């Protein structure tokens, strides 16, 4: 994987838009993904007064049809008026979307993944000041013959409370382009894959997910009809 950087920026800058989608053969790019969106997000456990954490995902990503590689920018921010306290964000993949790496974050052990997920990383965001955010470059692959979902829970550093959870929310397209160099996918859209010959493939993945996990801490109620999430282990300290 190429080296990427984790940056902390002001909340106001998060609204900056990127206009074009760059399609580069055999590579995945995290830029030009459109404005960030909190689609599929929901407040969970009550946060301390003055703390309001949320997440953002790009409205669109691009999957290289030959390598299945894609890149996603995942952002956690504090829209409140007080410091967040030490928090962490989890980046978890489902179905055809597999998270390969998140720069500066720790991979979850297979036994610690929630049921139905295939990959996950724990990102220690530290203590976010009011109006501040932290963005992470996510390397992933997307099997276009399946649906694919991603989930971003934001928890206390010990995983005992979840203040916010975005997802599991799908990326997908209703108009596949198997013969093109890349396939653009939109956030909040179920993928409807088509084989190169034009034959529709069976759709993988279901609607709601129930995601119990035998880890220490409180069980977490998922966004919408997603079911139960988990309370995870304390991540390794960042250097």
């Amino acid at each position: 994987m190429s080296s990427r950087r984790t940056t902390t920026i002001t909340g106001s800058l998060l609204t900056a838009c990127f206009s074009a989608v760059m399609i580069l053969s055999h590579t995945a790019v995290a830029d030009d993904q459109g404005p960030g969106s909190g689609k599929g997000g929901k407040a969970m456990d009550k946060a301390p007064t003055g703390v309001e954490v949320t997440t953002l995902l790009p409205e669109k990503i691009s999957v290289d049809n030959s390598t299945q590689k894609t890149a996603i920018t995942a952002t956690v921010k504090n829209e409140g008026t007080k410091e967040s306290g030490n928090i962490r964000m989890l980046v978890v993949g489902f179905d055809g979307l597999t998270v390969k790496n998140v720069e500066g974050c720790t991979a979850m052990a297979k036994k610690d993944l929630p049921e139905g997920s295939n990959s996950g990383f724990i990102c220690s965001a530290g203590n976010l000041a009011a109006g501040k955010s932290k963005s992470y470059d996510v390397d992933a692959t997307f099997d276009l013959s399946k649906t694919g979902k991603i989930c971003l829970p934001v928890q206390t550093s010990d995983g005992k409370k979840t203040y916010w959870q975005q997802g599991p929310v799908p990326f997908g397209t209703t108009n596949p382009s198997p013969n093109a160099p890349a396939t653009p996918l939109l956030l909040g859209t179920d993928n409807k894959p088509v084989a190169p010959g034009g034959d529709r493939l069976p759709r993988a993945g279901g609607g709601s997910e129930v995601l119990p996990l035998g880890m220490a801490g409180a069980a977490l109620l998922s966004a919408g009809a997603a079911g139960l999430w988990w309370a995870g282990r304390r991540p390794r300290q960042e250097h």
Side-chain angles (χ1 to χ4, degrees):
M1 296 292 176
S2 62
S3 176
R4 304 207 180 188
R5 67 180 185 277
T6 302
T7 58
T8 303
I9 57 177
T10 61
S12 61
L13 292 179
L14 290 171
T15 57
C17 272
F18 297 96
S19 56
V21 175
M22 294 176 63
I23 299 175
L24 304 179
S25 179
H26 307 296
T27 62
V29 289
D31 295 332
D32 302 320
Q33 298 181 338
S37 171
K39 183 178 293 186
K42 181 180 180 181
M44 308 295 283
D45 295 320
K46 183 175 177 58
T49 301
V51 176
E52 185 181 349
V53 292
T54 59
T55 56
L56 294 173
L57 286 166
E59 290 188 348
K60 54 189 174 183
I61 61 174
S62 182
V63 178
D64 187 295
N65 286 340
S66 62
T67 65
Q68 297 188 338
K69 291 182 179 180
T70 188
I72 301 168
T73 300
T75 299
V76 55
K77 63 177 181 176
N78 179 10
E79 295 184 324
T81 59
K82 294 184 178 180
E83 294 180 341
S84 67
N86 288 326
I87 58 173
R88 68 185 194 178
M89 179 177 69
L90 309 183
V91 183
V92 184
F94 295 84
D95 303 330
L97 194 157
T98 302
V99 180
K100 294 295 187 179
N101 187 59
V102 184
E103 184 66 22
C105 303
T106 303
M108 297 177 66
K110 184 175 293 187
K111 65 182 179 63
D112 294 335
L113 292 172
E115 184 178 347
S117 69
N118 55 46
S119 52
F121 283 75
I122 300 172
C123 303
S124 177
N127 183 18
L128 286 182
K132 296 293 184 177
S133 65
K134 202 165 188 178
S135 294
Y136 298 87
D137 288 331
V138 180
D139 288 320
T141 59
F142 198 111
D143 184 347
L144 292 167
S145 69
K146 303 177 181 179
T147 59
K149 299 180 181 71
I150 191 169
C151 190
L152 304 180
V154 180
Q155 305 176 331
T156 52
S157 60
D158 59 8
K160 291 183 178 180
K161 288 187 177 181
T162 296
Y163 295 145
W164 170 268
Q165 182 171 302
Q166 186 173 6
V169 61
F171 275 104
T173 178
T174 57
N175 185 26
S177 51
N179 297 318
T183 296
L185 303 181
L186 298 178
L187 182 67
T189 302
D190 285 322
N191 196 45
K192 296 186 178 179
V194 173
D199 296 327
R200 187 169 298 277
L201 297 176
R203 178 175 170 179
S208 61
E209 292 86 5
V210 177
L211 311 169
L213 184 67
M215 299 173 64
L220 308 175
L221 182 64
S222 175
L228 290 179
W229 267 77
W230 77 100
R233 297 176 179 173
R234 183 186 300 274
R236 292 196 304 228
Q237 294 296 320
E238 289 185 335
H239 299 292

